[in-house]
Amino acid sequence: MNVLVINCGSSSLKYQLINSDTEQVAAKGLCERIGVDGRMVYQPAGGEKEITEAPMPTHNEAIRMVLEALVNPKTGVLKSLDEVDAIGHRVLHGGAKLTRSVIVDDYAKQVIRECFDLGPLHNPANLMGIEACMKLMPGKPNVAVFDTAFHQTMPPKAYRYAIPTRYYQKYAIRKYGFHGTSHSFVSGETIKFLGLDRNNSKVIVAHLGNGASISAVKNGKCADTSMGLTPLEGLIMGTRSGDLDPAVLEYICNHENITVSQMLHILNKESGVYALSDNLSSDFRDLEDAMNNGNESAALAIDAFCYRVAKYIGSYAAAMNGVDAITFTGGIGENAGIVREKVLSYFGYLGIKMDPEQNKKRGENFILSTPDSRVTVCVIPTNEELAICRETVELVSRA
């Protein structure tokens, strides 16, 4: 089965065409600057990247260009769009109504639309991508795979906020969690890679990138996760503040005479390691270089990030009453050895010992801890597109 995986952002669109039988990527690419001017990158397997500059007023035009590239007589990988069997879409938020992946119908689109307030940057774009595919490839099944779905197994003690119950009942305000597709994929791959018993396992996944979150996965199911109602809760991130005293919002709003919406923009876009480094960068490569050159603000940003990661990992080890494996993934988790080293330095009490030579690796599955470490630590690259492909195939095959 050929599955086209679509991941729409507010002004971008990532895509991969995957053969589900071999799980090989036939072609992949990116559309960016949608609504501005438009730029598409297309790369067939084993071929060169092609870059096309063309207007993309909406996601409709972007997806049309992707489909045209896939069937291009010279560099396309399909003879016709009839060879696309299904389309899998990453959707940020399913709210309380859609708690697992679904084949898209009118009800699914309605719920995605109802969640616009919970995911204002992503859900509208996700729905535009779905509707564009339905228009351009009528009759093809479209599957919505939700970032929030994997975390729906959390118990109420983990997902309820200590606010009046009426707000939970009226607005479904609770912790939802995000990066669920990645956490599901990586925790499952960890269990397979280490030969653990899925039904008797305790795994902590640290998905560390510009957006970062941690999950506690007990017996293959999510027990807790660091992001909340929105992706703002939890870890310090690239430009997101993560956890902080809510009174900070009122204090700054009153003293700076700004709105709550303006304050939330600051917490989402102007905070995190970017703010702690005195606006130097949200990219850990830049921060590490600056730290090595004596920049104290960059060093603080990295230290604070690693401290928060360690605090969450420690709390989740307590929440599950133990841990068998800790897995790093995501752009930072997979590549930033300095971050892994600093995080693991907090866990001597768990009997964790890191192998410095192994910590130099990147881009593959590997064990980071020494053989005598009481908890196994590993690195497993995430593959959300493959996870979406698998979910899509499973649903379409059962339909």
Side-chain angles (χ1 to χ4, degrees):
M1 183 181 289
N2 287 320
V3 178
L4 178 60
V5 176
I6 299 288
N7 181 351
C8 288
S10 57
S11 61
S12 65
L13 183 157
K14 297 177 184 177
Y15 64 92
Q16 287 190 8
L17 181 69
I18 301 174
N19 181 315
S20 67
D21 298 325
T22 63
E23 295 194 338
Q24 296 298 306
V25 177
K28 64 181 180 180
L30 167 71
C31 295
E32 53 190 347
R33 297 180 63 81
I34 298 171
V36 182
D37 41 29
R39 180 178 185 268
M40 184 183 79
V41 178
Y42 168 78
Q43 184 174 22
E48 297 294 322
K49 284 184 180 179
E50 299 176 10
I51 298 177
T52 304
E53 309 275 353
M56 297 179 196
T58 70
H59 288 73
N60 272 304
E61 290 78 17
I63 289 176
R64 183 179 289 110
M65 288 181 63
V66 169
L67 299 180
E68 289 173 353
L70 291 173
V71 297
N72 183 289
K74 292 184 178 180
T75 57
V77 294
L78 301 173
K79 292 181 180 178
S80 78
L81 292 178
D82 290 337
E83 295 179 49
V84 176
D85 298 294
I87 305 100
H89 299 264
R90 180 226 177 183
V91 181
L92 181 81
H93 221 305
K97 293 181 179 178
L98 291 178
T99 59
R100 62 189 66 186
S101 302
V102 296
I103 294 178
V104 178
D105 56 14
D106 287 343
Y107 175 73
K109 289 195 289 183
Q110 174 189 326
V111 173
I112 293 169
R113 190 173 288 108
E114 288 173 359
C115 293
F116 279 7
D117 284 348
L118 296 175
L121 295 179
H122 294 84
N123 268 47
N126 299 153
L127 184 57
M128 279 192 284
I130 290 170
E131 292 183 329
C133 286
M134 286 181 157
K135 179 180 178 181
L136 295 168
M137 289 183 286
K140 300 287 184 182
N142 286 261
V143 171
V145 179
F146 297 94
D147 266 14
T148 49
F150 180 64
H151 305 303
Q152 293 302 307
T153 53
M154 287 188 293
K157 65 182 179 182
Y159 71 70
R160 283 289 299 273
Y161 291 123
I163 59 175
T165 301
R166 62 182 179 273
Y167 298 128
Y168 170 67
Q169 294 173 335
K170 188 174 182 179
Y171 302 113
I173 293 176
R174 49 160 287 180
K175 174 182 282 194
Y176 287 99
F178 300 90
H179 295 141
T181 305
S182 177
H183 285 290
S184 175
F185 177 83
V186 173
S187 61
E189 291 297 304
T190 300
I191 289 168
K192 288 192 290 185
F193 182 56
L194 300 180
L196 301 176
D197 177 0
R198 182 181 180 86
N199 297 316
N200 185 26
S201 59
K202 299 172 182 177
V203 177
I204 295 173
V205 176
H207 176 112
L208 308 180
N210 193 52
S213 63
I214 295 181
S215 64
V217 184
K218 189 173 184 178
N219 303 333
K221 296 181 179 180
C222 180
D224 205 347
T225 192
S226 58
M227 284 180 168
L229 175 75
T230 74
L232 184 57
E233 183 179 353
L235 302 177
I236 296 168
M237 305 177 219
T239 61
R240 293 185 185 124
S241 66
D243 296 339
L244 82 170
D245 182 345
V248 170
L249 279 74
E250 180 190 40
Y251 189 91
I252 294 177
C253 285
N254 288 343
H255 282 75
E256 296 287 320
N257 194 28
I258 59 176
T259 66
V260 172
S261 294
Q262 288 172 309
M263 189 64 227
L264 284 175
H265 176 85
I266 292 169
L267 295 179
N268 273 293
K269 299 294 186 182
E270 300 177 24
S271 300
V273 295
Y274 173 74
L276 286 173
S277 67
D278 286 338
N279 301 350
L280 172 66
S281 180
S282 62
D283 189 312
F284 271 71
R285 292 167 294 190
D286 298 334
L287 296 178
E288 186 177 353
D289 288 343
M291 179 185 71
N292 291 335
N293 287 316
N295 187 308
E296 293 183 0
S297 295
L300 170 63
I302 292 175
D303 283 345
F305 176 85
C306 295
Y307 178 65
R308 184 72 62 86
V309 171
K311 282 175 64 177
Y312 264 96
I313 290 175
S315 70
Y316 287 165
M320 294 191 293
N321 196 20
V323 57
D324 299 313
I326 298 169
T327 302
F328 289 94
T329 193
I332 296 169
E334 295 166 25
N335 298 298
I338 185 67
V339 169
R340 297 191 297 251
E341 180 181 356
K342 283 180 175 289
V343 169
L344 293 178
S345 70
Y346 289 95
F347 296 114
Y349 74 95
L350 287 179
I352 292 176
K353 300 177 183 178
M354 188 194 75
D355 184 331
E357 287 303 311
Q358 288 291 94
N359 196 37
K360 296 175 183 177
K361 291 184 177 180
R362 58 175 61 191
E364 59 180 306
N365 292 2
F366 64 91
I367 293 175
L368 184 58
S369 51
T370 59
D372 60 340
S373 182
R374 292 208 303 269
V375 176
T376 303
V377 182
C378 56
V379 174
I380 294 182
T382 191
N383 193 333
E384 293 173 278
E385 289 79 15
L386 178 56
I388 291 170
C389 173
R390 289 174 177 173
E391 287 277 316
T392 300
V393 171
E394 183 179 352
L395 278 174
V396 172
S397 299
R398 293 204 314 254

